[in-house]
Amino acid sequence: MTAIDLPTPKLGGLDLVPTTDETQKAKDFTSDQEVRWCPGCGDYAVLASVRSFLPELGLKRENIVFVSGIGCSSRFPYYLDTYGMHSIHGRAPAIATGLAVSRPDLSVWVVTGDGDALSIGGNHLIHALRRNMNITILLFNNRIYGLTKGQYSPTSEVGKVTKSTPMGSVDAPFNPVSLALGAEATFVGRALDSDRKGLTEVLRQAAAHRGASLVEIFQDCPIFNDGSFDVLRKGDDVAQRLIPLVDGEPIRFGNDGEYGVVRAESGGLKVVPVAEVGEDALVVHRAGEQDPTQAFALSRLSDQDLTHTVTGIFRKVDRPTYDDGARAQVTAATEQAQQRGDNLQALLTGRDTWAVMPTPEQEA
Amino acid sequence: MSTDTEVGADLPDRLVAHGEIRQTEVRQTHRVVIRFAGDSGDGMQLTGDRFTSEAAAFGNDLATLPNFPAEIRAPAGTLPGVSSFQLHFADYDILTPGDRPDVLVAMNPAALKANLKDLPHGQVLIVNTDEFTKRNLAKVGYDSNPLEDDSLAPYQVHQVAMATITRTALEPTGMSKKDAERAKNMFALGLLSWMYHRGTEGTEQFLREKFAKKPDLAEANILAFRTGWNYGETTESFAVTYEVAPAALPTGTYRQITGNLALAYGVVAAGQLAKLPVFLGTYPITPASDVLHELSKHKGMGVTTFQAEDEIAGIGAALGASFGGALGVTSTSGPGVALKSETIGLAVALELPLLILDVQRGGPSTGLPTKTEQADLLQAMYGRNGEAPVPIIAPASPSECFAAAIEAAHIAIKYRTPVFLLSDGAIANGSEPWNVPDVADLPDISTTFATEANAPDGSGEFWPYLRDDDTLARPWAVPGTAGLEHRIGGLEKADGRGSISYDGDNHDRMVRLRQAKIDGITVDDVTVDDPSGEAEVLVLGWGSTFGPIGAACRRVRAAGMNVAQAHVRSMNPLPGNLGDVLRGYRRVVVPEMNLGQFAMMLRAKYLVDVRSYTKVAGLPFQAEELAGVLTDAVKGDLPA
C-alpha cells in the first residue's frame, strides 16, 4: 500500500449529499413527537431556527442525520423528522465520526450541551475537531446541568452556587471557543439562541463548511440558570457587550459603533473607544486567516462574565478532512487491489502453503 | 523423543555443497517440543516464528506458545526481560504447544534460569556461552556458573559461543561487532534447522524480503543462519539429528495461522459474505492490536480502520458506522471492554449489528497484558447495566477464529445485536496449521435493509421496532432511505412504533423481547467425544482450553480409563442440549483459566454440581496437569 496525498477540500460541506427539487417547509422537518422541554427553555428557539433553516439547504430529508448525547439539548433529534440517534453521554462526536466516515452522502449533525461536550465528552470533542470530521456540532451552552437538576457545569462561572456547590464552585470554566480553536477547529462560530438571524447565518456557513464546524449557542435554562444571558438580550448596554463579527470589516460595535478592537500590548486584543485611536487602528476580522491567533484573542476579549461577547464566525479555514482522507485511502487501495486482481481466496491462501494429498487408500 | 533409528539418511544438497560431510545419526521421531528463550531484544519471537514456518512448510502439524513480557525492552539480561517461544511439531495431529520442551535454547543466564525448571532431565539444552559472564550471572542470582558446576549434569548440554562465532563469521561484512552479534538468533535458528532437517531456502527468502531495503543486513543474517547450520554439520558435538515426518492431516491446502490473523481474515471475509463494508473502530491494546494492524492492510477489500482517541470512541464510531449500514467492528481486551460497556448497552437498546472482538488477558485492571486468561466471560455476559443480553462466541483454537468471526458477524447481522467474540492471548499469538477453506463453501450472511413503510395499521409510517416473527429482529433502516426517517436511542422505546416510552408494562415487554431474541438464536448442539461410550466423567471446556483438555483426555484414555469430552463454542445462548448432556454424567469437570466463571453459569442455569478446576498463571493448562485432574475424577478422588 502506498501513501497518498490527502485531498484539500475543494468541496463544500454538503456537496456529496443528494438534493431535492421539492419545496420543503419547517413542518416537513417536524416529527410527531411531543416536545418536552420546560416552558421558556432556549432549546425551543434553537429548534425553531433549525427547523426553518433546514429547508434552505435543499437536501433530501432522508440524508440528514442528527446525533446527540445526553442532556436536555440531546433530546433534539427526536423532534426533527430526519434520521436521528439519541446516544449516550458525551459520545455523540465519536458515533457521528463512524457515520460520517462510512457515509459521505449524509449531512451529519451533532447536538450537544456544555456538560455533554465539554465534561464527559471533552475527549471526543477535541479529537473530532482535530481530525476535522465533516460534521456540524451545535453546542448548546446554558452553563448548567439541567437534566440532572441543577449542578454547575464546566462552563459555569467561578463561584457558582448550585445544588452541588452550595458554597460556590471553585473550578475555572472552559471557554468553548478558545478550546475549539486550541483543538485545531477549522470552523468556530457563536450565536445567541434568541438571535434567529445571527444563528441562522452561522448555521448556514457551518453547514457549507467542509470539515468540523463548532457552533456555540448561548442558551437559557429558565429553571436552573434563569436569565444567565439576559445582559446580552436586554438593557441599555447590550450594544456595548455584543461584538458581532463581519468578515473583512474592522471590528467595531456599540450603539453608534463607538467602540472598536485593537491590538493590545500583551499581544492580544482589547476594546477601546474608536475616538481615541482612530478607525485605521482597528483590527480587521478575517475568518479565513490560517493563523488562529487573532480568532483566539477575540474569544478572550473579556472573561466569561459577558462584558464583551463576540458573536459570528471566528474562524473558517480549509484543511483536509479525516473522512475524505480515509475514504481516499480506501478508494486508492481498492483500485490497486482490482488492478492486481486481489480476492478473498488469494488472501486466505497466502503465499506459504502446503498440500496434504489424499493417501492411495483414501483415493480408492 | 526417538522411535526408529536410521543412519546416513539423505542429506540436503546444500550440506554437500558446503564441503565435508560427516556421518550423523538420524533418528525418526513423532513429535518434538522446542523452546527458544532469550532476552526481549534477542529476537526469540522472530526465531520461533521462522522455525514454525519451516515446520509448517514441511507439512508437520504444529502448535506454538509465544511468551513475552509486557515491557518492550526490559533491562537486558534480567529475569523479567526473558522472552520465549515454544513450538510443538509432529507427524500427527497435536492439540497443544506441549507441556515441556525436548530442546531448550537458552541465549543467556536469565533465559536458562527462567526456563530450566520446565526441561525434563535427559533432554537437550543448547546454551549461548558468551552471555555467561560474571556480571550477567550475578544479575539473575547465580552464585556459580552453571556451565562450570555440575548443576546441568542431568541434561544433554551443548555449549556454543553463538555470539563469538557469529561475530567472527560476519567479520568480512565489515559490520560492527555489536551489530554482527545481533544476528546470533539466526545462528541459533540455523543450528536448530540443521538438527531437524529443515530446508534453508524458506528462511533465506524470508530474510531477503524482510530486509529488502537493507540487502547488506539480509545477507549478514543469512550468513549467520548458514553459519549456525554449518556449525551443526561440521563440529562433532552434535552426533544426532532428528526427522519428524509430515503429519497425516485431512487433505487440503494448509497454511500456518495465528489467532489474531485468523480473526482479522474472518472479519474481512464476513464483510464480503455479508456484502457490507467493514468499519473497524478501535484503540490499540495488547494482545488485540495485531487485529487492527492486519485489518488496516486490507482497505482494498472493503475495510475501513479507524484508530480512535480511546476505547469508547472506537466502539462509538463502529456503532455509528453500523447505523449507517456498515458492519461495525471493534477490537479490544478486558480493560477496553470495561470502557466500552455503556456503548454495548446502547447497541443492545438500538438493536444494531456490532461485533466486539475481545482478546482476553490477565486481569483485573491492567493485570497481565501479555499473558492469557479466560478473564472476561462474566464481563461479556453481565457487564452492563440493566438486562442487556449479548450473544458470545468463543473459538477453541487459533484457526477457529476465522469461522468464529464469520459466525459472530452472521448473528450480529441476522439478529441486529452486538455480539462478543472471546479469544484470548494464547489463541491470539499461538499458531497452528489451517486447512484453508474454499471461499465458495463459506456461508452467505447477507441481509436486506428496510425499504418500505411497515406500520401494521396501514398508516404508511415506518415502525423501527416492529419485529420479524421468526428472529424477533427489528428492521435495519439506514439513513438515505426515503420515507423511513426515524429516531433511535438509549431511552426505552415503545414496542413496535419505537417512540420514547416510559410505560412500565411496555418496558417489561421490551426487556423480555430483547432477552427472547437472544435466547432464540440458533446454536448447534454440543457434541460429546467419548470413544468408549461408557464414560462416567465428562470434562467440559470453552475457548482455548480445548487443546490441553483434549490432550489430557488422550492420556487418560491411553491409561485405560474412560472420559468424555465436550466443548462449548456458543457461550450465550448455550447449546440447547447442554443441560441433558451435563445430567448424563456422574461427574462433570470444568477446567478454566479463571476462578470458575463458566462453572458458575452452568450451576446457575442447570443446577448441576459441576467441579471447577481453575488456574490463572498466565499460561495455558498443561496436558499432564489436566490428565491428573481427570484421573482423580474418574477414580472418584476429586476434591470438592
Side-chain angles (χ1 to χ4, degrees):
Chain A
M1 210 171 296
T2 47
I4 61 162
D5 292 333
L6 290 173
T8 305
K10 296 179 186 76
L11 292 167
L14 303 171
D15 283 0
L16 300 179
V17 184
T19 55
T20 176
D21 294 334
E22 284 176 31
T23 314
Q24 296 173 331
K25 294 196 170 120
K27 77 171 171 48
D28 295 323
F29 287 93
T30 304
S31 75
D32 61 356
Q33 297 282 300
E34 179 195 357
V35 182
R36 292 187 192 166
W37 288 312
C38 307
C41 177
D43 290 352
Y44 284 99
V46 184
L47 179 62
S49 291
V50 170
R51 279 175 176 169
S52 59
F53 161 71
L54 287 174
E56 188 186 302
L57 296 175
L59 302 176
K60 286 191 170 174
R61 204 158 44 89
E62 62 268 23
N63 288 77
I64 301 175
V65 185
F66 279 77
V67 182
S68 64
I70 292 293
C72 294
S73 57
S74 287
R75 300 294 178 93
F76 206 89
Y78 288 121
Y79 308 137
L80 287 173
D81 200 8
T82 64
Y83 281 87
M85 188 197 292
H86 174 219
S87 73
I88 45 178
H89 208 8
R91 318 303 173 198
I95 290 166
T97 290
L99 186 61
V101 171
S102 48
R103 292 291 302 274
D105 61 329
L106 301 179
S107 169
V108 180
W109 299 67
V110 168
V111 178
T112 182
D114 40 317
D116 193 56
L118 300 172
S119 201
I120 192 168
N123 198 32
H124 309 307
L125 179 74
I126 58 174
H127 288 280
L129 296 175
R130 167 180 74 82
R131 292 191 183 99
N132 202 25
M133 300 303 307
N134 190 30
I135 58 177
T136 302
I137 303 167
L138 308 183
L139 196 170
F140 292 39
N141 182 7
N142 60 9
R143 301 184 168 187
I144 199 80
Y145 280 83
L147 199 60
T148 50
K149 298 194 166 70
Q151 301 82 12
Y152 80 115
S153 93
T155 54
S156 295
E157 55 277 21
V158 178
K160 185 90 174 170
V161 175
T162 70
K163 280 184 186 158
S164 61
T165 51
M167 296 173 71
S169 61
V170 294
D171 41 348
F174 269 138
N175 176 330
V177 171
S178 300
L179 180 79
L181 289 167
E184 311 289 347
T186 55
F187 184 104
V188 184
R190 180 193 278 157
L192 196 58
D193 56 359
S194 52
D195 174 15
R196 178 177 286 211
K197 183 162 168 281
L199 174 58
T200 303
E201 180 54 27
V202 174
L203 292 178
R204 185 178 292 129
Q205 299 221 32
H209 176 67
R210 191 154 198 88
S213 306
L214 181 103
V215 180
E216 182 189 17
I217 303 170
F218 284 155
Q219 175 253 352
D220 249 345
C221 173
I223 308 298
F224 297 108
N225 204 15
D226 193 24
S228 51
F229 296 104
D230 275 1
V231 295
L232 302 180
R233 303 181 205 277
K234 52 195 174 193
D236 298 337
D237 62 349
V238 167
Q240 291 165 33
R241 290 175 180 271
L242 276 177
I243 308 177
L245 294 173
V246 183
D247 197 27
E249 298 285 325
I251 303 172
R252 62 188 295 176
F253 62 101
N255 285 323
D256 302 309
E258 67 271 32
Y259 295 103
V261 173
V262 295
R263 305 217 176 278
E265 300 72 24
S266 64
L269 299 174
K270 65 178 178 183
V271 171
V272 294
V274 177
E276 286 181 11
V277 297
E279 183 165 6
D280 290 349
L282 301 184
V283 297
V284 174
H285 179 53
R286 300 200 190 283
E289 175 58 53
Q290 283 291 339
D291 181 343
T293 308
Q294 183 170 305
F296 188 82
L298 279 172
S299 73
R300 310 187 74 80
L301 272 178
S302 71
D303 291 338
Q304 297 207 69
D305 58 5
L306 311 178
T307 305
H308 296 301
T309 303
V310 177
T311 62
I313 295 155
F314 288 75
R315 185 171 203 234
K316 182 177 186 302
V317 298
D318 282 341
R319 180 156 66 79
T321 70
Y322 179 91
D323 32 343
D324 287 330
R327 285 190 296 265
Q329 288 191 342
V330 169
T331 304
T334 304
E335 282 167 6
Q336 288 165 12
Q338 281 166 355
Q339 280 166 13
R340 286 193 303 261
D342 290 358
N343 61 63
L344 182 60
Q345 188 69 60
L347 173 71
L348 302 185
T349 306
R351 289 187 305 171
D352 293 323
T353 59
W354 70 97
V356 175
M357 310 297 278
T359 60
E361 303 86 70
Q362 283 171 323
E363 275 181 341
Chain B
M1 147 164 88
S2 72
T3 47
D4 311 314
T5 301
E6 176 192 347
V7 177
D10 290 342
L11 290 164
D13 291 345
R14 172 167 300 282
L15 292 187
V16 180
H18 276 269
E20 197 181 332
I21 294 298
R22 205 157 40 82
Q23 290 284 302
T24 309
E25 181 187 343
V26 178
R27 289 188 193 153
Q28 305 293 315
T29 182
H30 292 299
R31 50 178 284 258
V32 179
V33 179
I34 298 174
R35 185 183 296 178
F36 295 95
D39 209 48
S40 301
D42 280 345
M44 292 296 99
Q45 302 304 319
L46 175 71
T47 309
D49 262 344
R50 264 324 301 168
F51 200 95
T52 303
S53 296
E54 290 179 6
F58 191 69
N60 297 128
D61 194 12
L62 61 91
T64 67
L65 177 65
N67 187 11
F68 46 88
E71 293 76 16
I72 303 303
R73 295 278 189 277
T78 62
L79 288 169
V82 173
S83 167
S84 69
F85 188 104
Q86 184 161 305
L87 161 68
H88 184 187
F89 61 105
D91 64 2
Y92 64 98
D93 66 311
I94 52 170
L95 297 167
T96 75
D99 288 358
R100 295 169 186 285
D102 300 306
V103 180
L104 173 64
V105 180
M107 301 300 283
N108 67 7
L112 180 68
K113 185 148 197 176
N115 290 282
L116 190 65
K117 64 180 187 305
D118 297 333
L119 186 70
H121 288 181
Q123 300 294 31
V124 175
L125 172 64
I126 302 173
V127 185
N128 170 29
T129 55
D130 287 323
E131 290 291 321
F132 282 68
T133 61
K134 245 186 193 149
R135 190 160 165 269
N136 286 350
L137 290 165
K139 258 188 208 173
V140 294
Y142 273 125
D143 294 331
S144 69
N145 187 345
L147 303 182
E148 290 164 3
D149 59 29
D150 59 355
S151 61
L152 300 180
Y155 310 98
Q156 300 178 49
V157 183
H158 298 279
Q159 299 194 21
V160 186
M162 296 189 199
T164 307
I165 299 170
T166 305
R167 192 181 63 226
T168 310
L170 265 55
E171 252 168 28
T173 68
M175 286 176 96
S176 73
K177 276 184 176 182
K178 205 175 155 197
D179 284 347
E181 285 187 10
R182 271 202 199 134
K184 63 182 181 292
N185 64 328
M186 287 300 109
F187 176 94
L189 180 64
L191 177 56
L192 269 290
S193 298
W194 170 80
M195 272 181 77
Y196 290 95
H197 291 238
R198 302 289 124 171
T200 58
E201 291 77 10
T203 294
E204 293 183 5
Q205 189 188 338
F206 165 82
L207 289 169
R208 287 202 176 95
E209 283 173 18
K210 180 175 170 66
F211 298 110
K213 287 178 185 158
K214 297 176 181 169
D216 291 353
L217 212 51
E219 292 311 314
N221 274 286
I222 289 168
L223 186 52
F225 175 68
R226 287 180 185 168
T227 304
W229 179 295
N230 294 338
Y231 180 86
E233 178 53 34
T234 53
T235 63
E236 309 229 329
S237 62
F238 292 88
V240 186
T241 63
Y242 303 90
E243 277 188 351
V244 180
L249 299 172
T251 56
T253 300
Y254 283 79
R255 64 174 286 171
Q256 174 209 348
I257 200 156
T258 65
N260 272 348
L261 186 60
L263 206 49
Y265 283 178
V267 169
V268 173
Q272 305 254 317
L273 298 169
K275 302 179 182 72
L276 294 176
V278 171
F279 182 95
L280 175 76
T282 189
Y283 188 76
I285 186 169
T286 303
S289 300
D290 280 342
V291 177
L292 163 63
H293 303 161
E294 184 61 33
L295 284 173
S296 65
K297 293 181 202 163
H298 300 299
K299 295 183 171 67
M301 303 282 281
V303 178
T304 298
T305 56
F306 171 62
Q307 182 179 316
E309 59 270 25
D310 59 26
E311 295 278 358
I312 299 170
I315 189 173
L319 184 59
S322 284
F323 183 50
L327 174 59
V329 183
T330 193
S331 54
T332 190
S333 188
V337 173
L339 287 163
K340 293 178 196 293
S341 296
E342 191 188 12
T343 311
I344 298 169
L346 176 65
V348 169
L350 298 181
E351 302 193 44
L352 283 172
L354 181 66
L355 191 51
I356 304 140
L357 311 175
D358 175 8
V359 186
Q360 303 164 97
R361 67 190 215 186
S365 188
T366 308
L368 299 175
T370 60
K371 311 290 180 190
T372 194
E373 193 167 302
Q374 292 178 309
D376 300 339
L377 177 58
L378 293 184
Q379 181 174 222
M381 277 296 292
Y382 303 116
R384 289 166 295 283
N385 59 311
E387 300 292 335
V390 174
I392 304 170
I393 299 292
S397 75
S399 66
E400 269 193 23
C401 287
F402 177 77
I406 295 172
E407 172 65 6
H410 189 191
I411 293 169
I413 292 166
K414 182 175 176 186
Y415 295 91
R416 325 291 203 221
T417 177
V419 176
F420 262 102
L421 188 151
L422 292 184
S423 176
D424 66 31
I427 287 178
N429 293 319
S431 60
E432 64 179 358
W434 179 39
N435 192 343
V436 181
D438 187 335
V439 168
D441 297 337
L442 297 176
D444 179 358
I445 61 170
S446 61
T447 186
T448 50
F449 295 135
T451 54
E452 305 281 335
N454 62 353
D457 60 5
S459 61
E461 291 176 353
F462 174 65
W463 288 18
Y465 280 85
L466 196 68
R467 294 171 190 280
D468 179 88
D469 290 338
D470 205 26
T471 61
L472 296 181
R474 74 175 192 88
W476 191 3
V478 301
T481 314
L484 307 192
E485 294 84 356
H486 65 282
R487 277 66 54 192
I488 53 177
L491 282 173
E492 186 62 283
K493 296 296 180 286
D495 182 21
R497 187 183 291 271
S499 44
I500 298 172
S501 171
Y502 298 125
D503 178 71
D505 291 338
N506 174 73
H507 178 59
D508 186 89
R509 190 160 59 251
M510 287 295 273
V511 166
R512 290 174 199 282
L513 276 167
R514 285 187 289 259
Q515 185 68 49
K517 181 178 80 167
I518 303 308
D519 290 346
I521 291 170
T522 313
V523 173
D524 288 343
D525 275 351
V526 70
T527 56
V528 178
D529 173 41
D530 175 16
S532 69
E534 293 174 358
E536 295 184 348
V537 170
L538 171 74
V539 54
L540 183 73
W542 68 277
S544 72
T545 55
F546 177 75
I549 291 173
C553 287
R554 286 181 181 176
R555 289 180 187 219
V556 172
R557 289 167 189 159
M561 290 172 281
N562 296 328
V563 63
Q565 184 192 2
H567 207 74
V568 178
R569 287 169 172 82
S570 172
M571 308 304 291
N572 191 34
L574 290 165
N577 67 334
L578 186 56
D580 288 341
V581 167
L582 294 179
R583 289 182 202 103
Y585 291 86
R586 178 176 61 78
R587 174 63 66 217
V588 178
V589 182
V590 181
E592 288 182 87
M593 296 186 293
N594 55 43
L595 295 190
Q597 299 188 10
F598 189 36
M600 190 176 100
M601 283 168 58
L602 295 170
R603 282 169 166 262
K605 188 171 170 69
Y606 301 111
L607 299 176
V608 169
D609 182 20
V610 305
R611 292 301 166 91
S612 190
Y613 179 77
T614 63
K615 191 173 85 167
V616 283
L619 289 169
F621 284 115
Q622 297 194 333
E624 181 183 351
E625 166 188 16
L626 288 184
V629 172
L630 296 182
T631 301
D632 286 349
V634 171
K635 290 181 175 167
D637 295 341
L638 195 68

